[in-house]
Amino acid sequence: MKEVHIETLQELLNSFANKDVFIHLETTNGAYASHFDTKVFNAGAFIRNAKIRYELGKVIDDMPHRIGLKMEHGWVYAQGITHYELDEHGRLLMAGLDYTGKLAIALEISETPFSY
Amino acid sequence: MTLPSERHVLIIFPHPDDEAFSVAGIARLYHQMGVPVTYACLTLGEMGRNLGNPPFATRESLPEIRRKELIAACEAMAIPDLRMMGLRDKTIEFEDDEKMVQLVTALIEELNPSVIYSFYPHYAVHPDHEATARAVKEAVRRIDKEKRPRLLGCAFANNTLAELGEPHVVVDIKSVGHHKLRALQAHASQTGWMMAETAKRVDDGETPADSWLSIEKFYVVQQDDELGEPIQRVHY
């Protein structure tokens, strides 16, 4: 994965628009967050292989980046994206890595289902 | 005291690297004694967060990296029988509870272990650890009391010492510490930062804060019908 290049990532988001796509979206503090710091309220969310169709996808030029996908009846968005790649299977993988290299958020888009 | 021999040792943990921290030394000691060891690793740690910055992996490439690390770690620990059970990281507690018990029961029936190493329920911190601990304990509970394998659990919640006291079983693994170090190093995607930190402390003239490379410690997991029975604390 490389650091986000806005124009390239925007083109990639456009290329998946108006298609049935599978998404992976997760955000987490890590399972040990409140073990190491009892003041942390540990919350996270994970969705994998949800099938959606978006009419508009947009990446915002703030660091770390926000990405929003507008659907016919709703929205998907992710905050904190720093890196991305189009992998060898043609899937758009986006990730937000914190300063220590830990994944804080992932948003991935694919025309075929992700592995289990 | 010398470590007693066993008929078969069954290790059950959910994530690649759980075993390296907990039982790498003891697995290597059993190998030297000629005791057969099986490690059932329930997931491939697909949700591991350490991807590096700059990243060396993606959410999608991480499972294959961790599979290879797990195999390399088992070589370092001399665990000949590694079973990758195909569940997904962070989902074990949401699986059907009976299915999880049956998964463990099938392993026990096949291997007939005299001792099982896993996590200690309620003191294992991570939801996958707790779900694993529950399933293992329940599978063992269903076995006739006289025929049950001994169940030893790792516990590391912050309240462990206060509530459970000193570990029941403490094993000196210094003679195989270098093998354990290799096992931990094999899980580089998860342990790399920690190994670098440990090496720095050693360079700075400090010994590693934790005693990972010198002892391994466990609590006897008792079933309800065993609660009155005394637990002897032993050091090997």
Side-chain angles (χ1 to χ4, degrees):
Chain A
M1 284 188 292
K2 293 177 182 164
E3 286 184 25
V4 167
H5 180 267
I6 293 282
E7 288 75 19
T8 314
L9 181 52
Q10 184 59 60
E11 282 172 26
L12 287 167
L13 288 168
N14 294 348
S15 73
F16 287 94
N18 299 310
K19 292 176 180 173
D20 287 333
V21 292
F22 296 87
I23 63 162
H24 168 110
L25 175 65
E26 69 172 281
T27 181
T28 175
N29 298 308
Y32 296 107
S34 53
H35 174 64
F36 292 125
D37 180 354
T38 53
K39 293 191 179 66
V40 172
F41 179 84
N42 206 359
F46 169 65
I47 185 167
R48 187 166 176 84
N49 283 330
K51 197 173 175 183
I52 69 162
R53 191 179 179 96
Y54 63 86
E55 60 199 51
L56 180 67
K58 192 189 279 187
V59 52
I60 303 298
D61 192 12
D62 286 347
M63 274 293 284
H65 303 286
R66 294 181 299 281
I67 296 185
L69 309 176
K70 182 179 174 66
M71 301 181 294
E72 186 185 3
H73 298 295
W75 288 90
V76 171
Y77 73 77
Q79 175 161 3
I81 298 293
T82 57
H83 290 74
Y84 79 113
E85 75 173 38
L86 190 70
D87 79 356
E88 69 272 25
H89 304 293
R91 305 179 296 196
L92 177 55
L93 311 182
M94 294 167 279
L97 300 163
D98 71 13
Y99 307 112
T100 66
K102 285 191 169 63
L103 187 73
I105 187 163
L107 173 61
E108 304 178 341
I109 303 171
S110 171
E111 292 187 52
T112 54
F114 294 97
S115 67
Y116 176 65
Chain B
M1 247 197 293
T2 48
L3 195 62
S5 188
E6 300 291 346
R7 190 168 59 231
H8 196 118
V9 174
L10 175 57
I11 299 164
I12 306 177
F13 289 119
H15 309 123
D17 83 2
D18 289 337
E19 85 298 334
F21 285 107
S22 307
V23 298
I26 204 165
R28 188 80 200 191
L29 290 174
Y30 282 130
H31 165 72
Q32 292 174 358
M33 296 163 65
V35 174
V37 176
T38 296
Y39 174 31
C41 187
L42 302 188
T43 81
L44 286 177
E46 291 90 347
M47 295 292 275
R49 299 178 70 214
N50 292 298
L51 300 186
N53 197 345
F56 59 83
T58 69
R59 174 50 80 233
E60 301 307 314
S61 68
L62 188 65
E64 195 51 37
I65 291 171
R66 296 199 72 179
R67 177 199 305 276
K68 288 176 183 156
E69 290 175 346
L70 176 60
I71 291 167
C74 282
E75 284 169 10
M77 294 178 286
I79 293 177
D81 184 20
L82 167 64
R83 311 282 179 95
M84 293 186 247
M85 306 305 286
L87 299 174
R88 190 179 170 91
D89 197 5
K90 292 287 287 276
T91 65
I92 295 177
E93 65 182 328
F94 306 118
E95 290 278 4
D96 178 71
D97 292 326
E98 182 60 25
K99 175 193 147 178
M100 292 304 304
V101 175
Q102 290 303 323
L103 178 151
V104 177
T105 298
L107 288 165
I108 294 173
E109 287 177 351
E110 178 199 338
L111 302 166
N112 190 23
S114 49
V115 64
I116 299 176
Y117 291 87
S118 188
F119 284 113
Y120 192 104
H122 306 301
Y123 295 89
V125 183
H126 189 298
D128 283 344
H129 297 179
E130 293 292 347
T132 304
R134 281 197 298 276
V136 173
K137 184 178 177 184
E138 174 60 15
V140 170
R141 187 195 66 80
R142 294 181 186 183
I143 301 168
D144 288 345
K145 197 175 168 186
E146 315 76 59
K147 293 180 183 165
R148 281 176 195 154
R150 287 196 333 289
L151 179 50
L152 297 180
C154 293
F156 65 103
N158 293 327
N159 56 352
T160 300
L161 200 58
E163 296 185 5
L164 297 184
E166 294 291 334
H168 302 133
V169 176
V170 178
V171 183
D172 183 330
I173 59 147
K174 282 195 279 292
S175 67
V176 292
H178 55 296
H179 294 293
K180 178 163 189 169
L181 184 60
R182 279 209 299 130
L184 286 164
Q185 287 168 333
H187 290 292
S189 70
Q190 300 301 304
T191 60
W193 58 273
M194 183 201 80
M195 303 312 288
E197 184 66 20
T198 302
K200 183 177 175 301
R201 279 205 297 265
V202 173
D203 286 346
D204 293 345
E206 291 179 42
T207 52
D210 203 280
S211 49
W212 280 326
L213 300 182
S214 53
I215 60 163
E216 287 171 352
K217 48 196 182 178
F218 311 94
Y219 291 88
V220 174
V221 181
Q222 284 186 309
Q223 304 292 343
D224 286 351
D225 60 3
E226 299 166 343
L227 283 179
E229 297 167 17
I231 301 175
Q232 192 192 357
R233 288 197 160 80
V234 284
H235 282 64
Y236 298 114

